[in-house]
Amino acid sequence: MTMAGYDIFDILVGRGDEKKPVIVQGITGSYGSTHTRLMKAYGTNIAAGVTPGKGGQSFEGIPVYNGMAEAVKATGAQISGIFVPAQFFLGAAMDALDAGIKLLVAIPEHVPIRDSIKVIEHAKSKGARMVGPNTAGVIVPEVMKVGIMPAQPFKRGNTVVFSRSGTLMYEVSYNLSNRGYGQRLCLGIGGDPINGTNLIEAFDLVRNRPDVDSVVVVGEIGGDAEEQLADYIIRTSFSKPVVAYIAGRAAPKEKRMGHAGAIVYGNYGSAESKVANYAKASVPVAKRPAEVPELLAQKMRR
Amino acid sequence: MTYIAALTANMRLLEYQGKELFDQYGIRIPRSHLANTVEEAREGAKKIGIPLVLKSQLTVGGRGKAGAILKVKSEAELAPKFNELVHKEVKGELPRGILLEEMADIKKELYLSLFLNRSKRCYSLISSAEGGVEIESAGNKVVVDIPVDGLTPQVAEDTATKLGLTGNAAVAFVDLTTKLSKLASEKEAELAEINPVAILGDGSMLALDAKVIIDDNAMFRHPELKKYEHVSELEKQAEVSGFSLVELEGNIAIIGNGAGLVMSTLDLVADAGGKAGAFLDFGGRATTETIYEALRVVSQIKKVEAILVNLFGGIVRTDLVAQGLLDAYKNNVITVPVFARISGAESERAKQMLQGSRAKLYNTVEEAIQAAVAAVGRR
């Protein structure tokens, strides 16, 4: 399921931290407009926005188009951040893919599973990739961000953080930054049962990057993404140091813990199962977010 | 194959609701009647005839083992057995009605389900010639991955062959599978399970049970399923405000911004010897109003003796959150102490605002938890 040759870094920042154009879908909505300002302030080159019916207007000097075809034609953008409500997600994502977008960052929560699957299949046929839905987005610290994450937890460096939870991505990155482990990339996998980019695909994006020296993976209960990842690390001899954190050890079974994907039944999806599988892959699991940098320091010393 | 049961959701339909859907899609079901009172049960018995089966309508599994399915062999048995089931709790759940059903003349049983496979991002069609047992323990399973838009007749035919079905039974199986797949696709089910499927003497097939789980997030496209939604009053209030709420056993309510963060806080509370009484994620939009509303929701949970607030992120204006806390105390929405770790914009101002109130601010979540656990006592 991996896409050979897909270079997310090249799409995000080119060869040398270039300011690549980004389109915001839903730019005039309350969510989209708030985060457009924040992304711009962080240094993201928001080249255009799309809101059907508002073409021809502008938002803070950013031109607004009715559809993605026009917006892509005008800007040459390969990246789109989707900030529309879940009901409009499918249409927006398909519009973006048809217009040639290569990286879709899908922020909305409560997207129907069916719609996610349709978008993933269409993206695959177009050589594109979706991150999310229900993700905080993607950030290349001190260069650009497409998403809703705050700026302050992130510092530039050589670690990568992949997270199934938004706030825990901030918290863990903050702890890493404070202890001198800046990040080259932080990517929100998303809290849904089905993700455009799952953990294994995310690891594939960084395994051959010389500017990435370690990976922190923030998981949670539910599903078997961590188990599959542990197997992948062993099977493909993933060589960079990996440290994990798993939220939800104390959560009761058969209850959906806020995220659509965070639910345990029996041993399937349980923290115990994930910790046990990580142990087989020699991946230490932190007990609390603040312990992540300590474990990483130990791993890096070896 | 434990992953099937991992899909428990709000939109887990009761058996009779699932069977209503089956009926709409032309899947044969036994003659049945839903009863909430003995009078309704007597009416149903007249329609169906005795002997019949009484089935408690629950969302939890294992009804048979728990004695929540009873056979009625004479009219005299009907009322006492009905009353027994109405008051019988299974895994903490009381039935929402009792389904009366005709006894089928079963020759053989099968297992059949379609479930949404997370890692493969498609449906898996699972069947077995051993029905009526949990699929985890059933032998000779046939698993085929099919697109979310439905299966082709060829796949259904191949599956019938693999199950050893021939003649009328093979034809009936292809028909049943096609209809179930159509139902799953159109209603956006995460799971559509028939266990068991009964093969009758003439080779025709009957769905004896129904377990259907609909993707909650797709409900905006399915107003026709709205009548099957079942949430507690408190969960409803939380949902209206855009919160995720899970009621738990302990006495410390945990409020935070982000599901992962709240889960992580829950773990730390447990590590510190405390017990969480509620999990409330109020998402990214933290304002004076949302924190006030979150406090109002958890304050209705009687066993809550302390509230732990854990906020992280620059999106949160912590002074607005502090104002929400102050307002909640002023209006007597909450009376219990609040232990808060608020990291975000304007946190110094928030600290000043809360001085002298029953809400205390801590620099780390660990400190806030220690204080909360000390205040309510370890369990």
Side-chain angles (χ1 to χ4, degrees):
Chain A
M1 226 171 281
T2 55
M3 284 164 39
Y6 186 90
D7 185 347
I8 196 169
F9 290 91
D10 189 41
I11 289 169
L12 285 169
V13 293
R15 298 282 158 206
D17 292 348
E18 296 162 37
K19 296 289 180 191
K20 295 274 193 172
V22 174
I23 299 170
V24 173
Q25 294 179 263
I27 192 166
T28 55
S30 71
Y31 214 43
S33 57
T34 303
H35 288 287
T36 295
R37 284 192 195 97
L38 294 167
M39 287 187 280
K40 220 178 137 189
Y42 196 71
T44 309
N45 173 14
I46 308 286
V50 166
T51 300
K54 296 205 173 169
Q57 298 184 8
S58 77
F59 172 79
E60 309 227 326
I62 301 161
V64 179
Y65 297 90
N66 282 322
M68 285 298 286
E70 291 168 78
V72 168
K73 201 173 163 212
T75 60
Q78 290 192 300
I79 309 167
S80 172
I82 302 187
F83 287 80
V84 303
Q87 302 94 288
F88 306 120
F89 167 75
L90 180 63
M94 291 305 203
D95 188 28
L97 291 170
D98 286 338
I101 288 294
K102 293 297 171 216
L103 176 63
L104 270 183
V105 183
I107 306 301
E109 186 177 1
H110 302 306
V111 170
I113 291 169
R114 173 68 50 89
D115 297 359
S116 288
I117 292 177
K118 278 188 183 158
V119 172
I120 292 167
E121 284 172 0
H122 197 48
K124 208 180 285 173
S125 76
K126 294 263 178 188
R129 171 166 294 289
M130 171 165 70
V131 172
N134 195 7
T135 174
V138 179
I139 183 168
V140 181
E142 298 174 31
V143 182
M144 61 92 77
K145 65 165 186 163
V146 182
I148 58 172
M149 66 286 279
Q152 143 238 10
F154 305 95
K155 282 218 169 71
R156 191 192 175 104
N158 300 104
T159 295
V160 156
V161 179
F162 296 128
S163 178
R164 288 174 63 189
S165 146
T167 32
L168 284 178
M169 178 164 97
Y170 317 158
E171 172 106 57
V172 167
S173 300
Y174 182 66
N175 282 295
L176 287 167
S177 297
N178 284 346
R179 294 281 301 274
Y181 295 102
Q183 308 89 41
R184 183 62 183 137
L185 173 76
C186 298
L187 181 149
I189 298 293
D192 278 4
I194 288 185
N195 318 115
T197 300
N198 63 29
L199 287 176
I200 291 176
E201 290 159 343
F203 268 61
D204 266 339
L205 297 174
V206 301
R207 67 177 301 137
N208 297 322
R209 291 290 300 189
D211 55 352
V212 171
D213 66 8
S214 53
V215 184
V216 170
V217 46
V218 182
E220 62 189 25
I221 51 165
D224 58 1
E226 287 80 6
E227 287 85 342
Q228 303 266 358
L229 176 66
D231 179 56
Y232 162 94
I233 290 171
I234 298 166
R235 195 163 31 85
T236 68
S237 312
F238 189 82
S239 58
K240 298 183 198 294
V242 181
V243 169
Y245 173 73
I246 294 160
R249 277 180 287 121
K253 295 190 172 182
E254 295 190 47
K255 297 262 185 195
R256 216 175 268 272
M257 304 303 286
H259 280 155
I263 182 162
V264 176
Y265 186 84
N267 195 37
Y268 177 74
S270 73
E272 294 79 16
S273 158
K274 295 173 189 305
V275 173
N277 279 276
Y278 272 146
K280 286 187 212 157
S282 305
V283 174
V285 181
K287 279 257 175 197
R288 49 205 169 83
E291 202 189 8
V292 169
E294 292 168 33
L295 295 183
L296 188 61
Q298 286 168 25
K299 258 309 229 201
M300 303 279 280
R301 267 202 297 274
R302 268 173 220 158
Chain B
M1 213 154 295
T2 45
Y3 41 64
I4 291 170
L7 297 160
T8 315
N10 292 338
M11 281 304 290
R12 155 73 152 99
L13 304 192
L14 294 168
E15 175 191 5
Y16 85 87
Q17 298 167 339
K19 282 181 171 169
E20 280 179 13
L21 288 186
F22 285 178
D23 192 41
Q24 285 167 28
Y25 280 82
I27 294 170
R28 263 183 74 196
I29 53 172
R31 281 184 299 137
S32 63
H33 185 92
L34 182 74
N36 286 299
T37 63
V38 175
E39 289 69 41
E40 286 172 6
R42 288 208 178 96
E43 233 172 82
K46 258 182 230 157
K47 211 173 74 183
I48 294 164
I50 287 173
L52 54 79
V53 191
L54 296 177
K55 300 164 96 177
S56 202
Q57 297 299 289
L58 300 160
T59 60
V60 291
R63 285 184 306 176
K65 272 184 210 153
I69 296 176
L70 298 175
K71 282 182 185 161
V72 173
K73 290 176 191 133
S74 69
E75 212 172 321
E77 284 180 6
L78 182 68
K81 287 196 171 169
F82 181 86
N83 284 324
E84 181 189 334
L85 282 194
V86 164
H87 300 292
K88 191 180 186 71
E89 243 182 53
V90 178
K91 297 176 189 167
E93 188 178 315
L94 277 169
R96 284 187 276 146
I98 307 295
L99 190 67
L100 283 72
E101 254 184 12
E102 67 171 315
M103 300 257 245
D105 177 24
I106 305 164
K107 284 280 172 295
K108 191 173 157 40
E109 293 185 345
L110 299 177
Y111 172 92
L112 179 65
S113 76
L114 274 140
F115 98 102
L116 200 87
N117 190 320
R118 283 184 182 208
S119 39
K120 292 188 174 164
R121 297 160 174 156
C122 64
Y123 275 123
S124 289
L125 174 73
I126 303 171
S127 53
S128 166
E130 292 174 32
V133 294
E134 281 181 37
I135 189 61
E136 286 85 353
S137 50
N140 300 320
K141 281 186 282 270
V142 179
V143 182
V144 195
D145 294 335
I146 57 172
V148 282
D149 287 330
L151 85 173
T152 59
Q154 189 58 48
V155 170
E157 283 163 27
D158 290 350
T159 306
T161 308
K162 281 183 194 148
L163 291 173
L165 299 172
T166 53
N168 281 351
V171 174
F173 180 82
V174 171
D175 180 61
L176 176 66
T177 309
T178 307
K179 286 169 175 167
L180 189 67
S181 161
K182 190 163 186 284
L183 183 157
S185 282
E186 289 181 0
K187 299 298 181 193
E188 304 192 48
E190 291 185 29
L191 175 72
E193 181 190 71
I194 310 177
N195 186 25
V197 173
I199 307 183
L200 306 183
D202 60 358
S204 66
M205 290 184 181
L206 196 61
L208 290 193
D209 200 354
K211 182 171 178 183
V212 177
I213 299 175
I214 307 291
D215 177 2
D216 310 20
N217 290 339
M219 282 300 288
F220 69 89
R221 281 195 285 250
H222 299 285
E224 79 282 7
L225 300 177
K226 196 81 187 157
K227 60 183 176 192
Y228 298 145
E229 252 176 4
H230 183 76
V231 287
S232 77
E233 189 45 44
L234 213 53
E235 283 168 338
K236 215 179 283 171
Q237 288 179 27
E239 204 189 314
V240 167
S241 304
F243 304 152
S244 298
L245 174 76
V246 182
E247 285 186 58
L248 302 166
E249 303 292 311
N251 53 3
I252 302 175
I254 303 172
I255 297 177
N257 59 331
L261 186 69
V262 184
M263 255 189 279
S264 158
T265 312
L266 196 85
D267 296 342
L268 295 175
V269 167
D271 290 347
K275 221 159 176 226
F279 166 110
L280 191 147
D281 163 24
F282 65 72
R285 294 176 193 84
T287 62
T288 303
E289 289 73 31
T290 51
I291 186 77
Y292 185 89
E293 187 56 25
L295 293 167
R296 203 184 63 75
V297 168
V298 298
S299 71
Q300 293 171 61
I301 304 170
K302 296 240 153 37
K303 55 190 183 268
V304 167
E305 294 166 36
I307 299 170
L308 185 78
V309 177
N310 188 11
L311 302 181
F312 187 89
I315 298 164
V316 179
R317 279 272 304 276
T318 54
D319 53 335
L320 299 183
V321 172
Q323 189 58 50
L325 286 167
L326 291 176
D327 290 352
Y329 278 121
K330 198 177 83 189
N331 298 337
N332 285 319
V333 161
I334 48 167
T335 50
V336 298
V338 172
F339 302 85
R341 175 265 192 148
I342 309 181
S343 159
E346 305 288 340
S347 56
E348 279 314 308
R349 195 172 127 71
K351 270 178 198 164
Q352 283 167 15
M353 288 167 69
L354 290 176
Q355 258 168 24
S357 78
R358 293 199 70 198
K360 284 194 195 74
L361 283 184
Y362 298 84
N363 287 328
T364 67
V365 69
E366 284 86 356
E367 290 169 77
I369 289 169
Q370 289 299 340
V373 171
V376 299
R378 283 168 188 268
R379 291 235 160 157

